[in-house]
Amino acid sequence: MKNRGLVIALASVVALFVLGAMYTAFRINNRELSEAARKINPQEIQQRYTESEVWGKYYPRHWESFNKGFQEKDQVKYGASKRLSKLEEMPYLKKLYAGTGYAEEFYEPRAHVYAVQDIGSISPKRKKTGGACLTCKATEVPDLIKKYGDKFYSAPFPEMYKMVKHPIGCSDCHDPKTNALRISRPALIKAFQRQGKDVTKASRQEMRSLVCAQCHVTYYFLKDTKETTFPWDKGLKADQVLAYFDQKKFTEFTHPESQSPLLKARHPDYEIFLGSTHQAAGVACADCHMPYVKVGDSKISSHWFTSPVSTINYSCTKCHRESADYLKNRVATIQNRHKQLLDIGANTLVQVIDEIKKTMDTPGADQKGLEEARKLHREAQWMWDWVATANSMGFHNPQEGALFLGKSIDLGHKAIAAARKARGAQQ
Ligand code: HEC
Ligand code: HEC
Ligand code: HEC
Ligand code: HEC
């Protein structure tokens, strides 16, 4: 057996290789363990996790950037963020939203630090749904939902408002123990479950958008319990969400002038972002809104929630070689064009309401034709509202904004034609 020596030699090599691999794996695992061990947050944070200022003691640079709030010098055209009134910027909203609280009072959003203060100061008429209005505003909310169950959503607003102190904060996006990104809001977890998906399996890059999708999405309140719910079961795009509401025969309000059964969209930022050039290229919300910034001698993810136009040198030039001025101009061009299309859509809807009203005032008008016009109004206004309530004035996904505004304008003209036909007027 002269090969025996060779076999032994080979076996030894294999054994050494296996041992070496095991040792390396052991080293790596232990290194991961020890790093993870160092990442465990102090007991004080774990116990008082709703209090962002406690986290702030251990993460002073994050805390400082989080508290920057609004700076006058950073006012930009469509973005951050004095608390400007949308009703002054877009007067037609009063007519389109008539019958809802939005027609009386509707502000631009501000940074996260103001959330509890701002919801407290708006008219009680806009908070009739109750505790549900707090779902996205304070760190105490996940615990209140656990404690009160569905009653949290339907309890009178002032009763639940007494129990919140801390605006959107660290524990809304971070696990109090490990500091890893986490989903704290049940509405997102449940929406994923209903689609057969497990949100806890998301990758790190997905989480850098999903933490925002807890709140920057459209939602509605279930009719019976008032539970905050994401209407995503048929898909996340405007037409799919409309199909979901139609199937449920859900109507949010009846327009006082046209008597149309309407829906109300609410900032579908995440939904519209899906499928955009940036999202398709693997970019996440945090890449632009929480860029790495230098603080002293270290780098942190910025926690100043504001317009990326104010932080263009950090937010965009990491990937784009163009100058900050060029990028600013691109954003402005996209936004100005988007605003023009948005205004055309809104003016079409104003006409729709007027034409339906005219037909209603015409004796002997065809009631079936009138119903058809109202149904088209519902669809047209939904598509428009979907785009109009999304933040960024078209930047997040310009093509999709144009698509649904185009559909809205087309549906609007069909509604006008149907209303005229129903009263026998010339087309
Ligand atoms: C490619 C960069 C980029 C990505 C990715 C991105 N945004 Fe934006 N976002 C912007 C820009 C640019 C604006 C417009 C700011 C302005 O008008 O001054 C904006 C505006 C906003 C605003 C309104 C800010 C204001 O000041 O009024 C919100 C809220 C927002 N984005 C949330 C999100 C969310 C949530 C996601 C992920 C689903 C996201 N963004 C992804 C660039 C980005
Ligand atoms: C709206 C969600 C959100 C909130 C609120 C939030 N963070 Fe973060 N935080 C993030 C994201 C996203 C990252 C980037 C994580 C990654 O890339 O894996 C991050 C990263 C971090 C990191 C890791 C280091 C770094 O800079 O990337 C620390 C530490 C941190 N946050 C602390 C805090 C503290 C302290 C608070 C409260 C004052 C807070 N965060 C509030 C979303 C949030
Ligand atoms: C727990 C709910 C919640 C989460 C999570 C959340 N937001 Fe917000 N966000 C809000 C609310 C509410 C406002 C409006 C606050 C106000 O106007 O008082 C807001 C406002 C903003 C603004 C507007 C700032 C301005 O100055 O106009 C930006 C930008 C923003 N959020 C980005 C993000 C991004 C990016 C993420 C994820 C990393 C995120 N948000 C996660 C609820 C949330
Ligand atoms: C993480 C990388 C990344 C960041 C951050 C980023 N972009 Fe981009 N951007 C891309 C990629 C990738 C594309 C697609 C390029 C292509 O297809 O050639 C793109 C495309 C664009 C386009 C063309 C849009 C279109 O629909 O074709 C504009 C405008 C743009 N980015 C502006 C910005 C601005 C403004 C910011 C900061 C607020 C920003 N980007 C931040 C990676 C990024």
Side-chain angles (χ1 to χ4, degrees):
M1 275 277 177
K2 66 174 172 174
N3 276 348
R4 183 182 279 176
L6 193 65
V7 170
I8 291 175
L10 266 175
S12 311
V13 169
V14 170
L16 268 175
F17 179 77
V18 170
L19 274 173
M22 278 168 68
Y23 177 69
T24 313
F26 173 80
R27 283 274 308 264
I28 289 174
N29 278 338
N30 264 358
R31 195 176 65 213
E32 276 180 1
L33 263 183
S34 64
E35 269 176 17
R38 269 190 282 119
K39 270 195 202 148
I40 296 291
N41 275 330
Q43 280 297 321
E44 197 185 4
I45 290 185
Q46 292 184 44
Q47 278 154 9
R48 297 168 61 190
Y49 53 86
T50 59
E51 300 166 56
S52 295
E53 66 272 21
V54 172
W55 298 62
K57 286 205 282 189
Y58 300 91
Y59 299 108
R61 291 168 310 210
H62 294 80
W63 180 232
E64 195 189 335
S65 90
F66 182 80
N67 278 304
K68 249 178 157 173
F70 173 66
Q71 323 249 319
E72 195 77 34
K73 68 175 170 45
D74 291 315
Q75 178 73 54
V76 288
K77 189 165 176 195
Y78 296 114
S81 117
K82 243 186 248 163
R83 215 163 154 246
L84 299 175
S85 164
K86 291 204 193 212
L87 299 180
E88 277 165 34
E89 292 167 352
M90 302 188 228
Y92 46 66
L93 290 180
K94 282 195 177 181
K95 180 146 177 146
L96 304 188
Y97 294 157
T100 76
Y102 293 97
E104 287 157 45
E105 194 187 37
F106 192 17
Y107 293 106
E108 293 279 354
R110 293 203 287 175
H112 290 162
V113 272
Y114 305 111
V116 166
Q117 180 192 334
D118 287 348
I119 186 80
S121 69
I122 63 168
S123 153
K125 274 195 259 172
R126 292 196 52 203
K127 297 179 287 208
K128 280 196 213 128
T129 314
C133 305
L134 284 168
T135 313
C136 281
K137 308 293 190 290
T139 55
E140 290 86 354
V141 167
D143 288 343
L144 290 174
I145 295 174
K146 272 195 205 120
K147 183 166 171 200
Y148 294 97
D150 280 348
K151 292 213 179 68
F152 163 78
Y153 301 105
S154 53
F157 181 84
E159 206 173 286
M160 285 298 145
Y161 192 62
K162 276 192 301 216
M163 290 190 245
V164 305
K165 274 203 200 74
H166 295 87
I168 304 152
C170 321
S171 62
D172 286 329
C173 302
H174 291 284
D175 185 307
K177 192 166 170 194
T178 64
N179 215 42
L181 291 181
R182 70 146 179 188
I183 302 302
S184 59
R185 294 298 187 277
L188 181 64
I189 298 167
K190 288 186 185 175
F192 264 66
Q193 276 168 354
R194 288 197 306 275
Q195 297 175 314
K197 293 192 229 154
D198 182 353
V199 80
T200 60
K201 299 260 155 54
S203 68
R204 175 179 164 204
Q205 188 62 3
E206 284 170 326
M207 284 301 280
R208 287 164 55 86
S209 289
L210 284 171
V211 286
C212 318
Q214 303 185 83
C215 305
H216 288 273
V217 291
T218 203
Y219 59 86
Y220 77 114
F221 303 123
L222 290 186
K223 271 241 141 71
D224 41 356
T225 59
K226 304 288 180 221
E227 182 178 348
T228 307
T229 305
F230 301 168
W232 292 354
D233 298 10
K234 286 182 182 291
L236 277 70
K237 293 301 177 185
D239 44 355
Q240 295 167 322
V241 177
L242 176 64
Y244 168 96
F245 283 131
D246 282 350
Q247 191 188 39
K248 291 212 173 300
K249 300 198 175 2
F250 181 84
T251 286
E252 185 133 355
F253 70 109
T254 301
H255 195 275
E257 280 186 77
S258 72
Q259 299 295 315
S260 310
L262 299 185
L263 297 164
K264 185 77 197 73
R266 295 165 174 104
H267 45 70
D269 299 333
Y270 175 71
E271 296 92 320
I272 283 188
F273 179 60
L274 291 180
S276 63
T277 305
H278 282 109
Q279 192 265 339
V283 184
C285 313
D287 287 314
C288 297
H289 285 277
M290 304 182 70
Y292 289 111
V293 290
K294 245 188 128 193
V295 182
D297 54 3
S298 56
K299 269 193 174 174
I300 63 161
S301 303
S302 165
H303 281 58
W304 181 32
F305 293 91
T306 190
S307 160
V309 173
S310 307
T311 55
I312 221 151
N313 279 322
Y314 301 103
S315 294
C316 320
T317 46
K318 178 178 89 183
C319 303
H320 289 280
R321 285 203 228 135
E322 298 88 352
S323 70
D325 276 345
Y326 171 85
L327 288 165
K328 241 181 218 177
N329 278 334
R330 284 312 303 159
V331 175
T333 305
I334 292 170
Q335 291 185 324
N336 287 332
R337 288 181 182 163
H338 183 83
K339 177 66 166 46
Q340 289 178 52
L341 196 49
L342 199 63
D343 289 346
I344 295 172
N347 292 329
T348 308
L349 289 170
V350 166
Q351 269 185 54
V352 170
I353 295 168
D354 290 342
E355 290 289 343
I356 293 179
K357 184 85 199 346
K358 240 188 220 168
T359 305
M360 285 163 65
D361 293 342
T362 307
D366 169 20
Q367 293 304 309
K368 254 182 110 183
L370 197 52
E371 279 316 304
E372 178 58 20
R374 288 183 180 128
K375 184 172 164 282
L376 287 161
H377 176 200
R378 170 185 165 98
E379 293 170 4
Q381 186 154 331
W382 167 256
M383 302 276 177
W384 182 88
D385 206 26
W386 177 268
V387 179
T389 54
N391 285 293
S392 86
M393 193 52 89
F395 176 80
H396 287 151
N397 194 346
Q399 292 90 341
E400 188 157 306
L403 172 66
F404 287 116
L405 287 175
K407 287 192 183 200
S408 169
I409 294 165
D410 179 46
L411 287 159
H413 284 294
K414 286 181 176 142
I416 292 169
R420 285 187 182 155
K421 192 170 162 212
R423 65 167 189 270
Q426 291 285 313
Q427 290 298 308

Coordinates of all heavy atoms in Angstrom, one line a residue, residues 4 7 32 35 78 91 111 133 169 173 221 286 294 328 374:
R4 N -0.7 4.7 1.0 CA -1.2 5.0 2.3 C -0.6 6.3 2.8 O -1.3 7.2 3.4 CB -0.8 3.9 3.3 CG -1.4 4.1 4.7 CD -1.0 3.1 5.7 NE -1.9 1.9 5.6 CZ -1.7 0.8 6.3 NH1 -0.7 0.7 7.1 NH2 -2.6 -0.1 6.1
V7 N -2.4 9.1 1.4 CA -3.8 9.2 1.9 C -3.7 9.9 3.3 O -4.5 10.9 3.6 CB -4.5 7.9 2.1 CG1 -5.8 8.0 2.9 CG2 -4.8 7.3 0.7
E32 N -18.4 38.8 16.6 CA -19.8 39.4 16.4 C -20.5 39.5 17.8 O -21.1 40.4 18.1 CB -20.6 38.5 15.5 CG -20.3 38.9 14.1 CD -21.1 38.1 13.1 OE1 -21.9 37.2 13.5 OE2 -21.0 38.3 11.9
E35 N -19.1 42.4 19.8 CA -19.5 43.7 19.3 C -21.0 43.9 19.7 O -21.4 45.0 20.1 CB -19.4 43.8 17.8 CG -18.1 44.3 17.4 CD -17.9 44.3 15.9 OE1 -18.9 44.2 15.1 OE2 -16.7 44.5 15.4
Y78 N -40.9 74.3 -1.3 CA -42.0 73.4 -1.0 C -41.8 72.6 0.2 O -42.7 71.8 0.7 CB -42.2 72.4 -2.2 CG -42.6 73.1 -3.5 CD1 -41.8 73.2 -4.6 CD2 -43.9 73.7 -3.5 CE1 -42.2 73.8 -5.7 CE2 -44.3 74.4 -4.7 CZ -43.4 74.4 -5.8 OH -43.8 75.0 -6.9
P91 N -55.6 77.5 -2.5 CA -57.0 77.9 -2.1 C -58.1 76.9 -2.5 O -59.1 76.7 -1.8 CB -57.2 79.2 -2.7 CG -55.8 79.7 -3.1 CD -55.0 78.5 -3.3
A111 N -40.6 69.2 11.5 CA -39.7 68.1 12.0 C -40.4 67.3 13.1 O -41.3 67.8 13.7 CB -38.4 68.7 12.5
C133 N -55.8 59.5 16.3 CA -55.0 60.6 15.7 C -53.6 60.7 16.2 O -52.8 61.4 15.7 CB -55.7 61.9 15.9 SG -57.4 61.9 15.3
G169 N -39.8 59.4 18.6 CA -38.4 59.4 19.2 C -37.7 58.1 19.0 O -38.2 57.2 18.2
C173 N -38.1 53.8 16.3 CA -37.3 53.2 15.3 C -36.2 52.3 15.8 O -35.7 51.5 15.0 CB -36.7 54.3 14.4 SG -37.8 55.4 13.6
F221 N -59.3 54.7 9.1 CA -59.7 54.1 10.4 C -60.8 53.1 10.1 O -61.8 53.5 9.5 CB -60.2 55.3 11.3 CG -59.2 56.3 11.6 CD1 -59.5 57.7 11.3 CD2 -58.0 56.0 12.1 CE1 -58.5 58.7 11.5 CE2 -57.0 57.0 12.3 CZ -57.3 58.3 12.0
A286 N -33.6 56.8 4.3 CA -32.6 57.3 5.1 C -31.4 57.8 4.4 O -30.6 58.6 4.8 CB -32.2 56.2 6.2
K294 N -20.5 64.7 9.4 CA -19.4 64.7 10.3 C -19.7 65.5 11.5 O -20.1 66.7 11.4 CB -18.2 65.3 9.6 CG -17.1 64.2 9.4 CD -15.8 64.8 8.9 CE -14.8 64.3 9.9 NZ -13.5 64.8 9.9
K328 N -29.9 71.1 -6.9 CA -31.0 71.9 -6.4 C -31.9 72.4 -7.5 O -33.2 72.4 -7.4 CB -30.4 73.2 -5.8 CG -30.7 73.3 -4.3 CD -30.1 74.5 -3.7 CE -29.7 74.2 -2.3 NZ -29.0 75.2 -1.6
R374 N -70.9 61.1 -10.2 CA -70.4 61.1 -8.8 C -69.3 60.0 -8.6 O -68.3 60.2 -8.0 CB -71.5 60.9 -7.8 CG -72.4 62.1 -7.7 CD -73.5 61.9 -6.7 NE -74.3 63.1 -6.6 CZ -75.6 63.1 -6.6 NH1 -76.3 61.9 -6.7 NH2 -76.3 64.2 -6.5

